[in-house]
Structures are given as structure tokens and as C-alpha cells.
Amino acid sequence: MIETWRWFGPKDTISLRKIRQAGATGIVSSLYDIKTGEAWPLEQIIEQKEMIEQEGLTWEVIESIPVHNNIKTRTGDYLRYIENYKISIENAAKAGVFTICYNFMPVVDWTRTNLNYTLSNNSQALRFEMTDFAAYDVFMLKRKGARDSYSAEVMDKAESRFSQMNEEEKAALEKNIIAGLPGGEGSYNRESIGEAIQQFVDLGTDKFREHLFLFLNEIIPVAERVGAKMCIHPDDPPFSLFGLPRVVSTADDAQALLDACPSPANGLTMCAGSYGARSDNDLVQMVKRFAPRIYFVHLRNVIREADGSFYESDHLQGDNDMVGLVHALLTEERRRQSSDDPNDNNILIPMRPDHGHTLDDEQRDVSVKPGYSYLGRLKGLAELRGVIHATSHIMDSKL
């Protein structure tokens, strides 16, 4: 696999030099100054690509070209935004970046309730706490029908939890949920998020899925023509929030998406942490099932709880079988190496150590993005590199 690292562009406090010293060879990045919906200029893609290459690295994956909400609802100026998206794909390919990760989550991108959850060793992790989320949804956002989204047990805990929150804790919870997270598209306030949520709730799951497929039928032929690979990121978390539709949460969702547009340019991002937050997703079997269409991998682990809560654990310790997952991915790479199919030209799969704990020194650094600390990802990458190396060695010895 190609070891990559998420880099937030020239303004990132983690330099390309530090990334190279961490052992990564590839970069996963975006053009963060381009407004969502606008076409990416070829010159800016080339400029950032050259900046990356000057440090001896390669720009392996674009993560992401955001999809405007008007495309998701097919309202307003959505046709112009689709045309701009096509231009961005074409320009990325002209610049020599051919793998594009994107998501189709409505309103909120990846969602957590606690960005500094303290673990037993005093490092800090990202956490989704169902009780806190329900408390926000029901008692702060006051979404219509919100109580029906939660069990009586969760509601009892949420009401008790909310009654004990001070104003500072309420503000922090709201910021964590709706104010935009690293890698997200932006932020909402309480009024605007309520309006956006209702628009998608009214749309419904079936119609939302139809809009995704219509979008794919527009952009995938462009990607196929220019040699690009589109790989959709799953919902995070992979279940409904705020009553919103979710359409990339399960193996059946992934199969429906691939069937809707059966092109080799239409692929998946295997995010172990996102898919793995559901106990009914067998990640190893999903890799085996969808292997030829997996073009990008996020490797991270989670520890799940019965009510849907979870936190991000060490990369090799959690509910996801990381060794089995790596073995399945390496098996697919070897299949591609021996294949005569021109669609298998992406032999090596880019992977990045997704998220990382915030360790001691970085906890006092206000510039550190939760989930994107240098030391935490350095630790995760080193652990994953060891698993990949050992698994490859064992597989080689059996040949």
C-alpha cells in the first residue's frame, strides 16, 4: 500500500517536510480556499502539486472536492454546480491527480460530540456519545419529532445529562456537532442547521439516494474519459443523525451505488472507522466483496458501545480486525499485479492513518486539529506500517 498523509495545504502547521520524516510518501489534500461548488482552476492544482513534489512527495489523492448541497437536493443552481464538478475532475486529471475521494452526507460531515475524550493513558480521542447527541437534538436544537429518534433509555439519560450541563458545556457540545470539523465543508448556526435538516428530512432516503445516483451518472463518464477514479467516503457515523437520510452506511448501500453506475471509475473509499462504527458491517468481508473497486483506504479503529456511541481507539486495538483488513487489501493488490485487465492499473492502494490521538505535548498546542495531531498519526502510521510489513512477509513466505 502507498503510505499517505492528510495535509491541509500551505496553511497546515504540519509541514510537508515533517510528513516526509514520518515516513509517508504520498499526500492526501484538497484546495481548501476554493468555495464549495466552484470549479477548481488547473493552475492552482498544478501549483499545489508542484509544492508537494518539491518535498519529494506525491499528491496521491484529492480529499475532497466537496459536493454542494444544491446538488444533493437538486435545487437552485445545481446544474451549474454539476458542470463545475466535471471541470474540477478534468483539471485534476490534467494536473496528474487521478484519485478523488468525496462524500454525499447531508448537512453535517463527520460528526462527534467530544473532540478531547480522555483515555486511560491521558491521551485524547474523538468520541460520539449518543446521550449527548440526543440531548442536543431534543433540548437545544428542539427538532420536531426528535424524541422519536431515540429509545426511552437514551432519552432518560439525555434529559439527566442536559439538566447537569452548564452553559459552557452546552456551547462546546453545539460547536463540536455543527460548527464544522477539520475536513468539513463549513459551519452552521442553530437556526440554519434546523432549516437545512428539514429540507433533507422532507426529501427522504429514497429520493436522496436517487439524487446521488443521478449525480454519479453525470460525473462518472467524465472521470472514465480522463482516467480518474472516484471513491465515495461512507457516512460518518454510518447511521441517521437528526433524522437525516443516510445512503452510504452498509455493504448493501455500497453494492447499490456500484450497481447504479457500473463503471470502473465509480469506486469506494474503505474507511474502517466509519463503516466499523456499525457492528453489522464486516469490514474484511466488505473488502473481499468490493476489492476491485476500492481505490483509497482510511485505517483507524473504534470501540463501539451498545447504544451507538463509540470512540476512536488505538489503530491496532479496537473492534475492527485491522490485521485481517490489511491482509485482505494486500491480497487485492497482488491480484491486480497479476491481472491483464487495464482497469487494474491502480495496483497499489493509497492508505492513510485516519485520525490519531492527541498526545501530551500537543494537548497544550491550540493549533492542533482534533484527530489530526502529528504525533498521534505518526504513532498510527508506524503501527500500521509494521502490520503491513509483517503481513507482506508472511504472504511472501507462502508463495
Side-chain angles (χ1 to χ4, degrees), residues 105-113 128-130 133-134 137 141 143 149-150 177 197 200-201 235-246 308 310:
M105 290 181 255
V107 186
V108 287
D109 206 315
W110 60 281
T111 303
R112 302 292 185 270
T113 57
F128 178 85
E129 169 59 56
M130 186 62 76
F133 189 87
D137 191 14
L141 186 62
R143 178 174 62 88
S149 299
Y150 308 99
I177 292 174
I197 287 169
F200 282 96
V201 170
D235 302 323
D236 187 8
F239 44 79
S240 179
L241 302 176
F242 297 126
L244 290 165
R246 292 296 219 194
F310 61 89

Side-chain angles (χ1 to χ4, degrees), residues 160-285:
S160 175
R161 172 75 177 113
F162 186 73
S163 68
Q164 298 172 33
M165 285 184 183
N166 58 38
E167 292 305 311
E168 184 179 353
E169 290 172 323
K170 292 176 184 177
L173 178 62
E174 182 161 62
K175 180 180 179 183
N176 291 346
I177 292 174
I178 72 170
L181 294 168
E185 292 182 29
S187 62
Y188 294 91
N189 57 37
R190 198 178 302 174
E191 180 180 359
S192 64
I193 197 174
E195 295 172 355
I197 287 169
Q198 193 58 51
Q199 184 179 25
F200 282 96
V201 170
D202 291 343
L203 189 63
T205 298
D206 290 342
K207 202 68 177 176
F208 186 61
R209 193 189 307 272
E210 179 186 331
H211 289 184
L212 169 58
F213 294 168
L214 288 170
F215 175 62
L216 291 178
N217 285 325
E218 287 279 354
I219 66 164
I220 294 302
V222 176
E224 189 170 352
R225 174 169 54 80
V226 300
K229 303 286 189 182
M230 304 298 299
C231 41
I232 195 166
H233 188 285
D235 302 323
D236 187 8
F239 44 79
S240 179
L241 302 176
F242 297 126
L244 290 165
R246 292 296 219 194
V247 293
V248 194
S249 294
T250 66
D252 287 344
D253 289 338
Q255 187 66 64
L257 179 137
L258 297 178
D259 290 344
C261 192
S263 164
N266 180 28
L268 306 174
T269 294
M270 169 47 68
C271 180
S274 297
Y275 280 124
R278 286 181 68 121
S279 60
D280 57 346
N281 280 336
D282 185 327
L283 303 189
V284 175
Q285 289 304 313

Side-chain angles (χ1 to χ4, degrees), residues 5-227:
W5 189 281
R6 183 78 176 269
W7 181 60
F8 291 96
K11 297 178 183 178
D12 197 330
T13 57
I14 298 173
S15 67
L16 291 168
R17 182 167 300 179
K18 290 182 73 172
I19 292 171
R20 188 177 182 190
Q21 290 173 353
T25 60
I27 291 295
V28 174
S29 193
S30 183
L31 295 185
Y32 298 97
D33 293 332
I34 303 296
K35 186 178 179 180
T36 297
E38 297 305 311
W40 282 24
L42 176 60
E43 297 77 13
Q44 285 187 241
I45 305 173
I46 292 173
E47 181 182 4
Q48 183 154 303
K49 184 170 181 282
E50 290 177 345
M51 188 183 308
I52 291 167
E53 291 173 346
Q54 285 170 4
E55 288 295 336
L57 299 161
T58 57
W59 190 353
E60 291 289 343
V61 181
I62 290 173
E63 186 180 355
S64 60
I65 302 177
V67 180
H68 197 281
N69 272 340
N70 284 12
I71 294 176
K72 298 171 187 176
T73 57
R74 294 184 76 81
T75 58
D77 206 6
Y78 77 93
L79 290 174
R80 182 175 73 86
Y81 291 135
I82 291 176
E83 290 306 310
N84 286 345
Y85 209 96
K86 294 177 184 178
I87 293 170
S88 298
I89 293 171
E90 291 175 333
N91 285 344
K94 287 177 183 176
V97 188
F98 295 99
T99 303
I100 302 171
C101 174
Y102 68 104
N103 78 69
F104 212 78
M105 290 181 255
V107 186
V108 287
D109 206 315
W110 60 281
T111 303
R112 302 292 185 270
T113 57
N114 190 340
L115 308 186
N116 306 109
Y117 178 64
T118 302
L119 302 175
S120 59
N121 64 357
N122 290 316
S123 63
Q124 295 174 341
L126 301 176
R127 176 176 174 81
F128 178 85
E129 169 59 56
M130 186 62 76
T131 295
D132 285 2
F133 189 87
Y136 176 77
D137 191 14
V138 175
F139 301 113
M140 291 183 67
L141 186 62
K142 298 180 181 178
R143 178 174 62 88
K144 181 181 178 181
R147 285 179 177 270
D148 297 336
S149 299
Y150 308 99
S151 67
E153 182 180 2
V154 167
M155 279 309 310
D156 287 343
K157 291 180 180 179
E159 189 165 7
S160 175
R161 172 75 177 113
F162 186 73
S163 68
Q164 298 172 33
M165 285 184 183
N166 58 38
E167 292 305 311
E168 184 179 353
E169 290 172 323
K170 292 176 184 177
L173 178 62
E174 182 161 62
K175 180 180 179 183
N176 291 346
I177 292 174
I178 72 170
L181 294 168
E185 292 182 29
S187 62
Y188 294 91
N189 57 37
R190 198 178 302 174
E191 180 180 359
S192 64
I193 197 174
E195 295 172 355
I197 287 169
Q198 193 58 51
Q199 184 179 25
F200 282 96
V201 170
D202 291 343
L203 189 63
T205 298
D206 290 342
K207 202 68 177 176
F208 186 61
R209 193 189 307 272
E210 179 186 331
H211 289 184
L212 169 58
F213 294 168
L214 288 170
F215 175 62
L216 291 178
N217 285 325
E218 287 279 354
I219 66 164
I220 294 302
V222 176
E224 189 170 352
R225 174 169 54 80
V226 300

Side-chain angles (χ1 to χ4, degrees), residues 29 49 113 131 194 286 295 313 326 341 345 399:
S29 193
K49 184 170 181 282
T113 57
T131 295
M286 287 178 71
Y295 302 133
S313 55
V326 167
D341 189 338
N345 58 349
L399 292 178

